[in-house]
Amino acid sequence: MLYWDQEKECMPREALSVLQLRRLKEAVYRVYTFVPAYKAKFDADGIKPDSINSLGDIEHFPYTTKQDLRDNYPFTLFAVPMSEVVRIHSSSGTTGKPTVVGYTRKDLDIWSDLMGRALTNAGARRTSVIQVAYGYGLFTGGLGVHYGAEKIGASVIPSSGGNTKRQIMLMQDFGTTHLTCTPSYALFMAEVMQEMGVKPSQLKLQAGIFGAEPWSENMRREVESKLEIKAFDIYGLSEIIGPGVAVECPCRSGLHIAEDHFLVEIIDPITEEVLPAGETGELVITTLTKEALPLIRYRTGDLTRLNWEKCACGRTHVRMKKVLGRSDDMVIIRGVNVFPSMVESVLLNIPGVEPHYQLIVERIGNLDELEVQVEVSEIIFSDEIRQLENLERSITKELESALGVAVKVRLVEPKTIARSEGKAKRVIDNRNI
Ligand code: DLL
């Protein structure tokens, strides 16, 4: 078992808490002193930086939301002068202004180090060949993984997203051992590989480090069997640092959150109350070491739960369960909450169904209708109509019992649902609400 930074990753809880508390005090002091928007918020709540005496005191501080980043577009939440900022990334929201994030030299060093941990967890070493098929550019995926891969001394192929046939040629010719991209893109690559007549056994691929979008355990099995690799989940978000906030270890039973750099809480997204250990809710993160854009109690919008039990790998950092979905990716159909990942889990248990699907939501009259479009395999599609109808009925039954809401299932021909080279679009909501 190899660690990138054993001392930090396996730190006993007590020492970790001491480190977190020291860093938390510094972070709170930093935002209060250098970010006028935070000073105004804290003053309004009557909170001073020295209000922190224990880690639990974080609960008295106000949350930060994506709206705060938008209101301070582009740079006014930065806690350092622009002369200290060496990198800017940005994530395009679906509405309004994009979110802008900045990094100092030290922020970039820490980020690369966290990615070094992540890649090492997935078995990458100096001798590995890492293909970075996350998009390069304003998105944090490409450059984030890139710097980590260089840091561990691996050979990096900065292929970025897209041009799938070339990606596969590079894998063959350069002997890629580790593939990094979104899980949906990995599946698409597997499909194109098959069309090109390339077998996974002809490649040197050992593992994939996949993230940036929710994916179910069934999806993991699918990717692993199609590419004949081990698939690891990696989580992160631009606002906090990018990829590398949390990553699976070889046990792959939850993602270890880098607690030496991030303090985490789980809250009820509606009441905003902090939930007891082990409950599912929205992940809230406070950055402990970020210089350019320190954030206090940032509401990620991601739903998960924390597992504080000891992990067999020896790492002491808390584990988060695979993200169920974003609160804004959840569709509410007649009062029932539906996540694409729930649909995915059901579909991938049904033989003949391909891992390509989309949820279409319409409002007809005053009622919401959920249609799930599902691709079926070539063999199934050439079956008799009656068999297709039977399959459609059984998918409908399974989905309705899992989701608790009426669903219209529509089987579609192989390869009709749009493939993605980055984050997959799982929901099309046509309701004007
Ligand atoms: O997606 C950073 C990233 C790049 C993570 C590459 C992992 C790999 P954003 O574009 O800001 O940053 O999107 C962040 O994506 O709040 C989650 O909703 C979702 N997300 C990221 N990783 C996962 C994951 C990058 N492993 C948003 N599982 C987050 C589920 C994920 N959702």
Side-chain angles (χ1 to χ4, degrees), residues 171-406:
M171 277 189 228
Q172 283 182 292
D173 297 350
F174 297 179
T176 303
T177 57
H178 291 75
L179 174 65
T180 67
C181 60
T182 58
S184 54
Y185 191 39
L187 261 186
F188 181 35
M189 284 194 196
E191 195 172 81
V192 175
M193 252 163 72
Q194 205 184 16
E195 283 167 13
M196 290 166 69
V198 175
K199 294 207 172 54
S201 55
Q202 296 169 279
L203 304 177
K204 296 214 171 96
L205 217 52
Q206 296 164 9
I209 298 99
F210 304 131
E213 63 184 7
W215 52 308
S216 60
E217 281 301 333
N218 283 341
M219 176 79 147
R220 187 205 306 265
R221 275 193 282 279
E222 197 80 24
V223 182
E224 290 194 327
S225 78
K226 290 202 162 137
L227 287 174
E228 295 175 15
I229 55 168
K230 268 190 169 219
F232 292 80
D233 194 357
I234 179 164
Y235 169 82
L237 61 166
S238 326
E239 296 88 326
I240 295 303
I241 207 162
V245 172
V247 70
E248 281 180 329
C249 64
C251 303
R252 297 187 301 161
S253 63
L255 294 81
H256 289 281
I257 299 174
E259 281 191 279
D260 46 340
H261 297 287
F262 310 110
L263 181 68
V264 289
E265 302 165 86
I266 296 285
I267 65 162
D268 179 321
I270 314 283
T271 65
E272 300 195 334
E273 272 179 37
V274 177
L275 294 174
E279 286 198 22
T280 300
E282 179 177 346
L283 180 69
V284 169
I285 306 180
T286 298
T287 64
L288 297 175
T289 48
K290 279 276 285 300
E291 290 183 333
L293 182 63
L295 294 180
I296 305 296
R297 304 192 88 196
Y298 184 70
R299 291 190 58 170
T300 63
D302 295 319
L303 300 172
T304 183
R305 67 166 184 264
L306 301 179
N307 177 359
W308 296 91
E309 281 164 29
K310 216 169 155 28
C311 182
C313 75
R315 288 174 184 82
T316 49
H317 295 184
V318 68
R319 280 170 288 165
M320 61 186 262
K321 205 180 148 55
K322 253 177 163 323
V323 171
L324 178 65
R326 292 188 55 78
S327 38
D328 50 15
D329 217 19
M330 178 180 86
V331 282
I332 304 179
I333 310 288
R334 304 182 193 185
V336 178
N337 300 347
V338 175
F339 285 100
S341 60
M342 292 153 81
V343 173
E344 181 177 294
S345 264
V346 172
L347 293 179
L348 297 188
N349 266 338
I350 302 174
V353 168
E354 293 289 303
H356 303 289
Y357 63 95
Q358 212 157 38
L359 280 63
I360 322 262
V361 192
E362 305 277 357
R363 178 156 285 183
I364 298 168
N366 281 323
L367 277 186
D368 294 335
E369 304 270 344
L370 171 63
E371 177 177 288
V372 177
Q373 296 191 351
V374 188
E375 261 184 36
V376 289
S377 66
E378 206 80 59
I379 303 167
I380 299 275
F381 206 76
S382 55
D383 277 354
E384 284 179 23
I385 297 278
R386 181 134 33 93
Q387 270 161 312
L388 284 176
E389 282 172 354
N390 281 342
L391 179 63
E392 206 168 77
R393 257 196 300 278
S394 81
I395 299 176
T396 309
K397 207 168 127 234
E398 297 276 335
L399 279 177
E400 290 187 342
S401 93
L403 305 177
V405 67

